[in-house]
Amino acid sequence: TTTANSSWHGTKVAGVVGALTNNGIGIAGVAPNTTLLPVRAIGKCSGRVSDIAAAIMWAAGQPVTVDAGTIAASPAANIINLSLGSNVPCSTTEQNAISTAIGAGIVVVAAAGNEGGAIDAPANCTGVISVVGLREAGTKVPFSNLSGSSGPAAAIAAPAGNCVNSL
């Protein structure tokens, strides 16, 4: 395997949410007065489902046991945003972590995916609010996942660019 540079996508998403407003620098965030709890669930090249589940549990205020021992619980988030996904069904491991978070009153939101097909995991897990990407004109960007013949459809939509997919 070869390593790849990180896109730092989660950091970009956090900036869209929490960027300060009216300061003449960069963008204005959608919730500039919110408190963000950044959690890196996957590394440069990928991650394991167990890594994602551990990140969900930790953000939900649960202690997490890993190879090196137990990581103390964080303050629980109110909303967990998972700007990641894989074109597979929701695993039991993901669903258990998500169900724990939802059971604690936490809203779980996840990207629908970027393959133009069925909703990715963890957005296809029960109870997750899945988000499809829209152009500025309000139509779905071609790469964004929307639904599958046997899976869930996206719950909400959000701006995702004005890209054109030639495929």
Side-chain angles (χ1 to χ4, degrees):
T1 14
T2 59
T3 59
N5 289 328
S6 177
S7 68
W8 300 103
H9 181 74
T11 303
K12 292 175 193 175
V13 172
V16 169
V17 172
L20 296 176
T21 60
N22 297 319
N23 62 1
I25 301 171
I27 65 168
V30 297
N33 295 319
T34 193
T35 300
L36 298 175
L37 175 66
V39 181
R40 186 165 186 162
I42 56 177
K44 284 184 175 182
C45 298
S46 187
R48 298 178 301 210
V49 169
S50 59
D51 298 330
I52 296 166
I56 292 168
M57 293 295 286
W58 190 78
Q62 302 296 312
V64 177
T65 301
V66 294
D67 295 337
T70 300
I71 301 170
S74 76
N78 295 316
I79 300 168
I80 295 174
N81 173 61
L82 298 161
S83 190
L84 53 82
S86 182
N87 195 8
V88 296
C90 178
S91 70
T92 301
T93 301
E94 288 167 303
Q95 187 63 65
N96 288 343
I98 288 165
S99 295
T100 297
I102 292 170
I106 298 166
V107 175
V108 180
V109 181
N114 295 325
E115 298 87 32
I119 303 294
D120 283 354
N124 61 15
C125 295
T126 301
V128 174
I129 298 172
S130 57
V131 185
V132 67
L134 296 180
R135 289 185 177 102
E136 66 181 46
T139 56
K140 183 184 85 65
V141 291
F143 60 81
S144 184
N145 296 0
L146 183 60
S147 65
S149 57
S150 62
I156 60 173
N162 201 22
C163 302
V164 175
N165 185 341
S166 61
L167 300 177

